[in-house]
Short mmCIF file of all heavy atoms in Angstrom, two decimals:
data_model
loop_
_atom_site.label_atom_id
_atom_site.label_comp_id
_atom_site.label_asym_id
_atom_site.label_seq_id
_atom_site.Cartn_x
_atom_site.Cartn_y
_atom_site.Cartn_z
N GLY A 26 94.00 283.37 102.13
CA GLY A 26 92.87 283.96 101.42
C GLY A 26 93.24 285.27 100.75
O GLY A 26 92.81 285.56 99.63
N LEU A 27 94.07 286.05 101.43
CA LEU A 27 94.52 287.30 100.85
C LEU A 27 95.40 287.05 99.64
O LEU A 27 95.29 287.75 98.62
CB LEU A 27 95.28 288.12 101.90
CG LEU A 27 95.86 289.45 101.43
CD1 LEU A 27 94.75 290.36 100.93
CD2 LEU A 27 96.62 290.13 102.57
N LEU A 28 96.25 286.04 99.72
CA LEU A 28 97.09 285.71 98.57
C LEU A 28 96.25 285.26 97.39
O LEU A 28 96.54 285.60 96.24
CB LEU A 28 98.10 284.62 98.97
CG LEU A 28 99.20 285.04 99.95
CD1 LEU A 28 100.05 283.83 100.32
CD2 LEU A 28 100.06 286.13 99.34
N GLN A 29 95.21 284.48 97.65
CA GLN A 29 94.34 284.04 96.57
C GLN A 29 93.64 285.23 95.91
O GLN A 29 93.52 285.30 94.69
CB GLN A 29 93.31 283.04 97.09
CG GLN A 29 93.93 281.71 97.53
CD GLN A 29 92.91 280.79 98.18
OE1 GLN A 29 91.82 281.24 98.56
NE2 GLN A 29 93.26 279.52 98.32
N ALA A 30 93.18 286.17 96.73
CA ALA A 30 92.54 287.37 96.17
C ALA A 30 93.52 288.19 95.36
O ALA A 30 93.19 288.73 94.31
CB ALA A 30 91.94 288.21 97.30
N ALA A 31 94.76 288.30 95.86
CA ALA A 31 95.77 289.05 95.14
C ALA A 31 96.10 288.39 93.81
O ALA A 31 96.24 289.07 92.79
CB ALA A 31 97.04 289.18 95.99
N ALA A 32 96.21 287.07 93.81
CA ALA A 32 96.47 286.38 92.56
C ALA A 32 95.34 286.58 91.57
O ALA A 32 95.55 286.80 90.38
CB ALA A 32 96.69 284.88 92.83
N GLY A 33 94.10 286.53 92.06
CA GLY A 33 92.97 286.76 91.18
C GLY A 33 92.94 288.17 90.62
O GLY A 33 92.59 288.39 89.47
N SER A 34 93.32 289.15 91.45
CA SER A 34 93.31 290.53 90.98
C SER A 34 94.37 290.75 89.92
O SER A 34 94.17 291.52 88.98
CB SER A 34 93.52 291.50 92.14
OG SER A 34 94.84 291.38 92.65
N LEU A 35 95.51 290.07 90.04
CA LEU A 35 96.55 290.19 89.01
C LEU A 35 96.08 289.63 87.69
O LEU A 35 96.31 290.20 86.63
CB LEU A 35 97.82 289.49 89.47
CG LEU A 35 98.63 290.17 90.57
CD1 LEU A 35 99.79 289.29 90.99
CD2 LEU A 35 99.14 291.52 90.10
N LEU A 36 95.38 288.51 87.76
CA LEU A 36 94.89 287.90 86.53
C LEU A 36 93.77 288.71 85.91
O LEU A 36 93.65 288.81 84.70
CB LEU A 36 94.40 286.46 86.81
CG LEU A 36 95.50 285.47 87.25
CD1 LEU A 36 94.86 284.14 87.58
CD2 LEU A 36 96.54 285.30 86.15
N ALA A 37 92.93 289.33 86.78
CA ALA A 37 91.80 290.12 86.28
C ALA A 37 92.15 291.57 86.06
O ALA A 37 91.30 292.35 85.65
CB ALA A 37 90.64 290.02 87.26
N ARG A 38 93.39 291.96 86.40
CA ARG A 38 93.83 293.35 86.29
C ARG A 38 92.93 294.26 87.09
O ARG A 38 92.54 295.35 86.68
CB ARG A 38 93.89 293.80 84.83
CG ARG A 38 95.00 293.13 84.08
CD ARG A 38 95.21 293.77 82.73
NE ARG A 38 94.09 293.52 81.83
CZ ARG A 38 93.97 294.05 80.64
NH1 ARG A 38 94.88 294.89 80.20
NH2 ARG A 38 92.95 293.77 79.86
N GLY A 39 92.54 293.83 88.28
CA GLY A 39 91.74 294.64 89.18
C GLY A 39 92.06 294.22 90.59
O GLY A 39 92.86 293.34 90.83
N GLU A 40 91.42 294.83 91.59
CA GLU A 40 91.69 294.51 92.98
C GLU A 40 90.42 294.03 93.64
O GLU A 40 89.38 294.69 93.59
CB GLU A 40 92.23 295.74 93.72
CG GLU A 40 92.61 295.43 95.14
CD GLU A 40 93.29 296.60 95.82
OE1 GLU A 40 93.53 297.61 95.16
OE2 GLU A 40 93.57 296.48 97.03
N SER A 41 90.48 292.85 94.24
CA SER A 41 89.33 292.29 94.94
C SER A 41 89.80 291.81 96.30
O SER A 41 90.52 290.82 96.41
CB SER A 41 88.72 291.14 94.14
OG SER A 41 87.68 290.54 94.85
N LEU A 42 89.44 292.52 97.37
CA LEU A 42 89.93 292.21 98.70
C LEU A 42 88.90 291.39 99.46
O LEU A 42 87.69 291.62 99.34
CB LEU A 42 90.22 293.49 99.48
CG LEU A 42 91.33 294.38 98.91
CD1 LEU A 42 91.47 295.62 99.76
CD2 LEU A 42 92.64 293.64 98.83
N PRO A 43 89.33 290.42 100.30
CA PRO A 43 88.41 289.68 101.14
C PRO A 43 87.82 290.58 102.22
O PRO A 43 88.29 291.69 102.46
CB PRO A 43 89.28 288.57 101.73
CG PRO A 43 90.67 289.11 101.67
CD PRO A 43 90.73 289.97 100.45
N LEU A 44 86.80 290.06 102.90
CA LEU A 44 86.08 290.86 103.89
C LEU A 44 86.98 291.35 105.01
O LEU A 44 86.92 292.52 105.39
CB LEU A 44 84.90 290.04 104.46
CG LEU A 44 84.07 290.75 105.54
CD1 LEU A 44 83.45 292.01 104.97
CD2 LEU A 44 83.00 289.80 106.07
N ASP A 45 87.83 290.46 105.57
CA ASP A 45 88.68 290.89 106.68
C ASP A 45 89.65 291.97 106.23
O ASP A 45 89.99 292.87 107.01
CB ASP A 45 89.44 289.68 107.26
CG ASP A 45 90.35 289.04 106.22
OD1 ASP A 45 90.03 289.08 105.03
OD2 ASP A 45 91.40 288.50 106.63
N ARG A 46 90.09 291.91 104.99
CA ARG A 46 91.01 292.93 104.49
C ARG A 46 90.30 294.28 104.35
O ARG A 46 90.86 295.33 104.66
CB ARG A 46 91.57 292.47 103.15
CG ARG A 46 92.73 293.30 102.65
CD ARG A 46 93.92 293.15 103.54
NE ARG A 46 95.10 293.78 102.97
CZ ARG A 46 96.24 293.92 103.60
NH1 ARG A 46 96.35 293.47 104.85
NH2 ARG A 46 97.26 294.49 103.02
N ARG A 47 89.06 294.25 103.88
CA ARG A 47 88.32 295.50 103.75
C ARG A 47 88.01 296.09 105.11
O ARG A 47 88.03 297.31 105.28
CB ARG A 47 87.02 295.23 102.97
CG ARG A 47 87.26 294.80 101.52
CD ARG A 47 86.01 294.98 100.69
NE ARG A 47 84.92 294.14 101.17
CZ ARG A 47 84.67 292.92 100.72
NH1 ARG A 47 85.43 292.40 99.77
NH2 ARG A 47 83.65 292.23 101.19
N VAL A 48 87.71 295.24 106.12
CA VAL A 48 87.46 295.74 107.47
C VAL A 48 88.72 296.39 108.03
O VAL A 48 88.68 297.48 108.63
CB VAL A 48 86.98 294.59 108.39
CG1 VAL A 48 86.93 295.05 109.84
CG2 VAL A 48 85.62 294.10 107.93
N ALA A 49 89.88 295.74 107.82
CA ALA A 49 91.13 296.30 108.32
C ALA A 49 91.41 297.65 107.68
O ALA A 49 91.80 298.62 108.35
CB ALA A 49 92.28 295.33 108.04
N ARG A 50 91.18 297.75 106.38
CA ARG A 50 91.45 299.02 105.70
C ARG A 50 90.49 300.08 106.19
O ARG A 50 90.85 301.27 106.30
CB ARG A 50 91.33 298.82 104.20
CG ARG A 50 91.50 300.09 103.39
CD ARG A 50 91.55 299.81 101.90
NE ARG A 50 92.74 299.05 101.54
CZ ARG A 50 93.06 298.74 100.28
NH1 ARG A 50 92.28 299.12 99.29
NH2 ARG A 50 94.16 298.06 100.03
N ALA A 51 89.23 299.73 106.48
CA ALA A 51 88.24 300.71 106.92
C ALA A 51 88.61 301.35 108.24
O ALA A 51 88.30 302.52 108.49
CB ALA A 51 86.86 300.05 107.01
N VAL A 52 89.29 300.62 109.13
CA VAL A 52 89.68 301.16 110.44
C VAL A 52 91.12 301.61 110.47
O VAL A 52 91.65 301.92 111.52
CB VAL A 52 89.43 300.11 111.54
CG1 VAL A 52 87.96 299.77 111.64
CG2 VAL A 52 90.25 298.84 111.30
N GLY A 53 91.77 301.64 109.32
CA GLY A 53 93.13 302.16 109.25
C GLY A 53 94.21 301.17 109.60
O GLY A 53 95.35 301.58 109.88
N LEU A 54 93.91 299.86 109.58
CA LEU A 54 94.91 298.85 109.88
C LEU A 54 95.26 298.07 108.62
O LEU A 54 94.59 298.18 107.59
CB LEU A 54 94.38 297.88 110.96
CG LEU A 54 94.05 298.51 112.32
CD1 LEU A 54 93.45 297.46 113.24
CD2 LEU A 54 95.28 299.14 112.96
N ASP A 55 96.32 297.28 108.73
CA ASP A 55 96.73 296.43 107.62
C ASP A 55 96.27 294.98 107.81
O ASP A 55 96.22 294.22 106.85
CB ASP A 55 98.25 296.46 107.46
CG ASP A 55 98.75 297.83 107.06
OD1 ASP A 55 98.03 298.51 106.31
OD2 ASP A 55 99.83 298.24 107.50
N GLU A 56 95.95 294.61 109.03
CA GLU A 56 95.61 293.21 109.31
C GLU A 56 94.61 293.14 110.45
O GLU A 56 94.81 293.74 111.51
CB GLU A 56 96.87 292.42 109.67
CG GLU A 56 96.62 290.97 110.00
CD GLU A 56 97.88 290.26 110.47
OE1 GLU A 56 98.82 290.95 110.91
OE2 GLU A 56 97.90 289.01 110.41
N VAL A 57 93.52 292.43 110.25
CA VAL A 57 92.57 292.05 111.30
C VAL A 57 92.21 290.60 111.02
O VAL A 57 91.46 290.30 110.09
CB VAL A 57 91.30 292.93 111.29
CG1 VAL A 57 90.32 292.43 112.34
CG2 VAL A 57 91.66 294.38 111.57
N THR A 58 92.79 289.67 111.78
CA THR A 58 92.60 288.25 111.48
C THR A 58 92.26 287.49 112.76
O THR A 58 92.58 287.90 113.88
CB THR A 58 93.88 287.63 110.88
OG1 THR A 58 94.96 287.80 111.80
CG2 THR A 58 94.23 288.30 109.58
N LEU A 59 91.61 286.35 112.56
CA LEU A 59 91.32 285.40 113.63
C LEU A 59 91.96 284.09 113.23
O LEU A 59 91.66 283.52 112.19
CB LEU A 59 89.80 285.22 113.80
CG LEU A 59 89.36 284.18 114.84
CD1 LEU A 59 89.77 284.63 116.24
CD2 LEU A 59 87.86 283.95 114.76
N ARG A 60 92.89 283.61 114.04
CA ARG A 60 93.59 282.38 113.70
C ARG A 60 93.63 281.45 114.91
O ARG A 60 93.49 281.87 116.05
CB ARG A 60 94.99 282.68 113.18
CG ARG A 60 95.88 283.54 114.04
CD ARG A 60 97.23 283.70 113.38
NE ARG A 60 98.17 284.46 114.18
CZ ARG A 60 98.51 285.72 113.96
NH1 ARG A 60 97.95 286.39 112.96
NH2 ARG A 60 99.39 286.34 114.72
N GLY A 61 93.89 280.18 114.60
CA GLY A 61 93.81 279.17 115.63
C GLY A 61 95.13 278.79 116.23
O GLY A 61 95.17 277.91 117.09
N ALA A 62 96.21 279.40 115.85
CA ALA A 62 97.50 279.07 116.44
C ALA A 62 98.37 280.30 116.36
O ALA A 62 98.33 281.06 115.42
CB ALA A 62 98.16 277.90 115.72
N GLY A 63 99.19 280.49 117.37
CA GLY A 63 100.08 281.62 117.40
C GLY A 63 100.93 281.56 118.64
O GLY A 63 101.01 280.54 119.32
N GLU A 64 101.57 282.70 118.94
CA GLU A 64 102.40 282.71 120.14
C GLU A 64 101.55 282.56 121.39
O GLU A 64 101.97 282.04 122.40
CB GLU A 64 103.20 284.02 120.18
CG GLU A 64 104.34 284.10 119.18
CD GLU A 64 103.87 284.43 117.78
OE1 GLU A 64 102.64 284.49 117.56
OE2 GLU A 64 104.73 284.59 116.89
N ALA A 65 100.33 283.09 121.36
CA ALA A 65 99.41 282.89 122.48
C ALA A 65 98.66 281.59 122.29
O ALA A 65 98.48 281.10 121.18
CB ALA A 65 98.42 284.06 122.56
N GLU A 66 98.19 280.98 123.39
CA GLU A 66 97.51 279.69 123.32
C GLU A 66 96.08 279.86 122.85
O GLU A 66 95.42 280.85 123.15
CB GLU A 66 97.53 279.02 124.70
CG GLU A 66 98.93 278.66 125.18
CD GLU A 66 98.89 277.97 126.52
OE1 GLU A 66 97.79 277.79 127.07
OE2 GLU A 66 99.96 277.61 127.01
N GLY A 67 95.56 278.84 122.14
CA GLY A 67 94.18 278.86 121.68
C GLY A 67 93.98 279.81 120.52
O GLY A 67 94.91 280.23 119.86
N ASN A 68 92.71 280.15 120.27
CA ASN A 68 92.40 281.08 119.21
C ASN A 68 92.81 282.49 119.61
O ASN A 68 92.63 282.89 120.77
CB ASN A 68 90.91 281.05 118.89
CG ASN A 68 90.48 279.72 118.29
OD1 ASN A 68 91.27 279.08 117.60
ND2 ASN A 68 89.26 279.29 118.58
N VAL A 69 93.29 283.23 118.67
CA VAL A 69 93.71 284.60 118.94
C VAL A 69 93.18 285.49 117.83
O VAL A 69 93.00 285.06 116.68
CB VAL A 69 95.25 284.73 119.02
CG1 VAL A 69 95.80 283.91 120.17
CG2 VAL A 69 95.91 284.33 117.72
N VAL A 70 92.92 286.76 118.17
CA VAL A 70 92.59 287.76 117.20
C VAL A 70 93.79 288.70 117.11
O VAL A 70 94.37 289.09 118.13
CB VAL A 70 91.31 288.54 117.59
CG1 VAL A 70 91.44 289.20 118.94
CG2 VAL A 70 90.95 289.56 116.52
N ALA A 71 94.20 289.01 115.90
CA ALA A 71 95.42 289.78 115.67
C ALA A 71 95.11 291.05 114.90
O ALA A 71 94.31 291.03 113.95
CB ALA A 71 96.45 288.94 114.93
N PHE A 72 95.73 292.14 115.34
CA PHE A 72 95.64 293.43 114.66
C PHE A 72 97.05 293.86 114.28
O PHE A 72 97.96 293.81 115.13
CB PHE A 72 94.99 294.49 115.56
CG PHE A 72 93.66 294.09 116.12
CD1 PHE A 72 93.55 293.38 117.30
CD2 PHE A 72 92.49 294.41 115.42
CE1 PHE A 72 92.32 293.02 117.82
CE2 PHE A 72 91.26 294.04 115.93
CZ PHE A 72 91.16 293.35 117.12
#
């Protein structure tokens, strides 16, 4: 989703970030995601 937003911003010559990206930036992080697979089992939240 972030890649899609980045591609759109390049085409529109502007920046449009998804909600999770804006939340991460608001708290001073680069990533706040919820995904269904990772090194830990089941769903994980990553910062």
Side-chain angles (χ1 to χ4, degrees):
L27 178 59
L28 291 176
Q29 293 174 344
S34 68
L35 287 175
L36 294 176
R38 290 191 291 175
E40 184 173 356
S41 176
L42 296 178
L44 179 61
D45 61 329
R46 191 66 172 173
R47 295 198 298 267
V48 171
R50 176 172 294 184
V52 297
L54 298 176
D55 295 326
E56 178 185 21
V57 176
T58 59
L59 177 66
R60 53 179 183 257
E64 287 79 355
E66 295 182 0
N68 294 328
V69 298
V70 58
F72 306 88

